[in-house]
Amino acid sequence: MIILSIDTATDGVSVAIAEGTRVLASSEMRSEKQHAEVLTPMIDFVRKQAGVSFGDVGAVAVDIGPGLFTGMRVGIASAKAIAQVLDVPIIGVTSLDILATAVGVTGDVIASVIDARRGEVYWSLYRHIDGKLRQVTNPQATAVEECALQVIDRGQSTLFVGNGALRYRNEIELVVAGVLPSFAFADDMAASPSAVVLAQIAHERALRQEWQEADSLVPEYLRLPDAEINWATRSAS
Amino acid sequence: MSANTLFNDSTVVLGIETSCDETAAAVVMGGNDVLSSVVATQIDLHARYGGVVPEIASRAHVEAMNVVIRQAISQSGVPIERIDAVAATVGPGLIGALLVGVAAAKSVALVLDKPFVGVNHLEAHLYAALLDDPYVEFPMLVVLVSGGNTLYVEMRGHGDFSVIGQTIDDAAGEAFDKVARFLDLGHPGGPAIDRIALTGNAEAIDFPRAMLHEGLDVSFSGLKTSVINYVRKNPTVSTADVAASFQYAVVDVLAAKARKAAKQIGAKSVALGGGVAANSLLRSTMTTVCAESGWRLVLPSMAMCTDNAAMIASAGWYRLVADGPSSLDMGAMPNLRLT
Ligand SMILES: [Zn+2]
C-alpha cells in the first residue's frame, strides 16, 4: 500500500511517500515558521518525485503531536482533508512514538522528550519488549526534572531523544548522572520527528488496519488552552 | 475586469471560512448561486470567557472542518470531484484559526488538481450582500459593521472598491459587546441588546453622537464610556432604556454617515454587511434613509450578515475571474486589510 506521511508537529515540515517499507520520495524543511506555506507545495513535490498519483494513495499518516499547537494543526488539517477527498483511512501517530522509533532497537529505556516551552516538556518512556517497541508510561507535560526523576525510578540505562532532551540536556544530566547505570543523548539528526520514520510506523499499523476515518482524528495536545487552565484555577479558588 | 474564460457562470467554487469562531463551508456556482452553506458556530465554547479565545477556536476548527466540508458538499448535490476551485479566507482573522481553513482548502485543491484562491474576509463581506441581490447597480456604498470592523466602502464595480470611512477606535459590534457585557446581557452582545431594546425607550437618555459632522469616520469608544458612566451614576435606571438609548445612538451615527457617504459617491445603491447588519433598528433606519433618497437598499439575509463560507466562495469566484488562482504557497495573513 502507498502511504502519504505528513509531519508538522515541531520545528519543521516533513513529507514522505512510501510503498510498504520502501520510501519512494521524501522532503524536509526545518523552521518553526511557515508550515502552511511550505507543506502543500512540498506534498505536491514529493508526490511527483515518487512518481505516483493521488489516486494511488491508500492511506494518509500524520503526526498528531504533541508539539507546537499552530504548526501541528497545519499538518493535521491537511492530512484530514486529503484523506477525506481521497476517501482513504487516516493513521495518527504521536510525535513521541515517532522519536522513539527513530532511534532503532536498543536494550535501553528510551525517553522521548519534546520541548513544550514555558519550562516544560512533553515526554513518554519506551522499551523494546520481545523485539517490539512499547510505550511504558502515559505521555505527559511536566517540568523536565519530573521526567528525569521518573527515569531514575526505573534505574535502567536510558537513551534520551528529542529536541526537549537536547534543550534541557544539562538539567537532565544533573538529575541522572551517577544514578543510572548509563545514559546517552540521541544526536541532533534525531531531535525532530520525521515523516520517513512516520511512514515506517504507518506501514505496520496499516498491515493491522489500525486506522480511522478522517473525521474522527483529533490532535494530541497534552495541554489545555491557557484560557481553560485559568478558568479552572479561578473556579477552584 | 479581465475575461478569464477558465472561470464562468458554471464554475463551482467550494468556499472555506475559519477566521474567527465559525467553521464554515459552502458551494457556490457562478459567483452567486448558493448551492449549500454550512456554518458550525462555536459561540457556546467561548461564551463563558466573554469573547473568542483563539486557541479554543483553532482546536474547534480542526474538529469540525471535515464534517462541515462533507455536509456542504452533500447538500450542494455536486460530487466533490466536480468542484472547479477551492477558496478560503486567508485574512484578516486569528492566525491559528485561519491556518486550519487555509491548510484544508489548499489540500483539497491539490488533491483534486483544481485551483486554489485566497480570499480577503472583508472583501467577502462586501459580496455577501450581493449573494441575495446580484444585479445591483454601481456605484454602491457598502456599510460593513461587525465586531471587528466599521467600514464605509465605495464599490465602483466587482473587485473595484475603496474604504472612504471607518471607525477611529471601537468597531460598532465591539461597542455592542462591551456595553452588553457591562449590562450583564451576555455574549454576543448585539442580539442581546437588540432584544431588550425593544422593551425600552430609545429617547430616555440622550447619549452623545460622536463626530456626526466631520468627515466619514466614526467613533464609538466615547459612547461606550458615557453609557458606563451614566449607569454608575444612575444605578436604578432601566436596563432596557439604557440598551435602547445606546442602540439608538449607534444607529443614528451609522445612518448619518451612510447618508453622507452615499451622497458623496453618487451611490445608486447601498448595502449593509457584517454581524451588526442584523440589528433591527439599523435595518429599519437604513430602509427609511434609502427610501427618502431614492437609493436601492440591499439588505442581506441574517445568514449572510454573519460569517459564512458562501460569501468566501462568491468573493473567490470574482477573484478567480479577475486575477486567476493563488499560489499553493500562500499562508494566512492575520492583519490583511481592505484596500
Ligand atoms: Zn466577518
Side-chain angles (χ1 to χ4, degrees):
Chain A
M1 177 184 281
I2 293 177
I3 297 177
L4 165 65
S5 295
I6 295 171
D7 194 320
T8 66
T10 61
D11 54 345
V13 173
S14 106
V15 173
I17 290 183
E19 179 164 25
T21 53
R22 196 163 61 100
V23 174
L24 302 177
S26 71
S27 178
E28 209 151 278
M29 180 280 289
R30 286 293 151 208
S31 159
E32 283 183 9
K33 293 209 170 87
Q34 308 225 301
H35 286 29
E37 287 85 339
V38 171
L39 178 61
T40 324
M42 190 184 279
I43 295 171
D44 192 28
F45 170 77
V46 170
R47 183 200 55 84
K48 285 175 181 148
Q49 295 301 308
V52 301
S53 73
F54 279 112
D56 300 328
V57 172
V60 178
V62 65
D63 183 339
I64 56 169
L68 302 172
F69 296 163
T70 299
M72 68 195 243
R73 275 191 290 262
V74 167
I76 294 165
S78 298
K80 284 172 64 125
I82 292 170
Q84 178 177 341
V85 175
L86 294 177
D87 198 18
V88 298
I90 195 163
I91 299 166
V93 179
T94 69
S95 51
L96 299 167
D97 280 0
I98 298 171
L99 287 177
T101 304
V103 298
V105 178
T106 166
D108 293 353
V109 169
I110 301 165
S112 274
V113 189
I114 289 174
D115 186 4
R117 308 276 171 88
R118 305 181 193 173
E120 288 195 336
V121 290
Y122 302 121
W123 63 275
S124 187
L125 305 183
Y126 296 80
R127 292 213 59 187
H128 280 94
I129 300 167
D130 302 329
K132 280 202 166 25
L133 185 70
R134 303 277 186 213
Q135 191 170 40
V136 294
T137 64
N138 287 327
Q140 300 179 51
T142 69
V144 72
E145 287 75 15
E146 176 63 24
C147 165
L149 287 171
Q150 293 208 26
V151 166
I152 286 180
D153 276 350
R154 299 188 162 259
Q156 289 159 322
S157 295
T158 302
L159 175 59
F160 293 90
V161 62
N163 61 6
L166 294 184
R167 174 169 179 179
Y168 295 108
R169 191 181 181 131
N170 293 338
E171 286 81 352
I172 293 170
E173 279 179 351
L174 266 178
V175 178
V176 304
V179 182
L180 295 182
S182 72
F183 65 93
F185 289 83
D187 64 24
D188 228 357
M189 291 283 287
S192 304
S194 152
V196 170
V197 180
L198 169 58
Q200 213 179 302
I201 301 170
H203 165 66
E204 287 160 21
R205 296 207 185 164
L207 289 178
R208 300 192 296 267
Q209 300 200 354
E210 279 177 34
W211 51 35
Q212 62 192 110
E213 270 193 46
D215 291 18
S216 60
L217 183 91
V218 289
E220 174 73 280
Y221 294 107
L222 283 191
R223 186 189 267 162
L224 292 172
D226 289 344
E228 275 184 41
I229 298 172
N230 298 339
W231 175 268
T233 315
R234 265 204 312 275
S235 309
S237 63
Chain B
M1 191 191 298
S2 74
N4 198 328
T5 51
L6 279 174
F7 306 105
N8 53 48
D9 286 349
S10 61
T11 300
V12 177
V13 179
L14 167 66
I16 291 175
E17 153 67 33
T18 62
S19 67
C20 191
D21 60 345
E22 324 274 3
T23 314
V27 178
V28 176
M29 186 167 73
N32 48 49
D33 187 1
V34 181
L35 304 181
S36 69
S37 180
V38 175
V39 180
T41 182
Q42 308 172 0
I43 285 178
D44 294 347
L45 289 180
H46 302 282
R48 69 180 184 185
Y49 305 105
V52 176
V53 180
E55 177 61 20
I56 292 176
S58 302
R59 291 186 181 199
H61 286 311
V62 173
E63 292 192 16
M65 193 78 261
N66 285 59
V67 176
V68 167
I69 293 174
R70 196 181 298 286
Q71 286 175 352
I73 293 291
S74 84
Q75 288 174 21
S76 74
V78 178
I80 196 159
E81 55 283 357
R82 294 269 305 279
I83 296 290
D84 298 308
V86 186
T89 305
V90 293
L94 305 167
I95 175 97
L98 287 165
L99 282 171
V100 173
V102 171
K106 291 199 301 177
S107 298
V108 173
L110 174 68
V111 173
L112 293 175
D113 196 22
K114 297 291 165 60
F116 162 77
V117 60
V119 170
N120 180 325
H121 181 88
L122 297 173
E123 186 175 328
H125 269 302
L126 303 182
Y127 283 99
L130 301 183
L131 276 169
D132 290 325
D133 197 349
Y135 304 107
V136 74
E137 272 186 284
F138 297 110
M140 175 168 75
L141 173 74
V142 185
V143 184
L144 179 49
V145 273
S146 67
N149 294 278
T150 302
L151 297 172
Y152 291 90
V153 182
E154 174 186 6
M155 207 165 169
R156 293 169 294 266
H158 292 293
D160 179 16
F161 46 79
S162 33
V163 176
I164 55 174
Q166 57 192 302
T167 178
I168 58 162
D169 41 56
D170 289 357
E174 199 178 347
F176 271 99
D177 283 341
K178 286 176 176 169
V179 168
R181 201 177 314 159
F182 176 69
L183 297 176
D184 250 336
L185 298 174
H187 182 89
I193 287 183
D194 200 346
R195 213 174 308 119
I196 194 167
L198 292 174
T199 64
N201 175 6
E203 282 164 355
I205 309 150
D206 188 21
F207 287 123
R209 274 76 165 151
M211 305 200 296
L212 264 183
H213 305 292
E214 303 146 44
L216 291 174
D217 286 345
V218 292
S219 159
F220 294 109
S221 165
L223 171 59
K224 172 199 66 193
T225 310
S226 60
V227 169
I228 293 172
N229 289 341
Y230 185 89
V231 175
R232 289 206 171 122
K233 272 189 211 130
N234 306 275
T236 57
V237 68
S238 134
T239 301
D241 285 352
V242 175
S245 302
F246 160 74
Q247 175 176 271
Y248 185 31
V250 172
V251 170
D252 217 12
V253 171
L254 288 173
K257 293 286 173 171
R259 187 188 283 116
K260 190 168 184 176
K263 267 190 197 141
Q264 185 175 309
I265 67 168
K268 290 212 165 70
S269 47
V270 175
L272 295 184
V276 181
N279 182 272
S280 61
L281 183 64
L282 180 61
R283 290 171 87 94
S284 61
T285 306
M286 288 306 296
T287 304
T288 311
V289 165
C290 290
E292 282 166 4
S293 307
W295 302 315
R296 178 157 159 212
L297 177 65
V298 184
L299 275 181
S301 61
M302 296 295 179
M304 284 304 140
C305 291
T306 48
D307 287 352
N308 65 85
M311 68 182 195
I312 305 302
S314 173
W317 183 87
Y318 283 103
R319 271 287 152 214
L320 283 167
V321 172
D323 309 323
S326 307
S327 163
L328 284 179
D329 65 8
M330 185 176 260
M333 290 169 260
N335 302 314
L336 197 60
R337 298 167 64 115
L338 196 62
T339 48

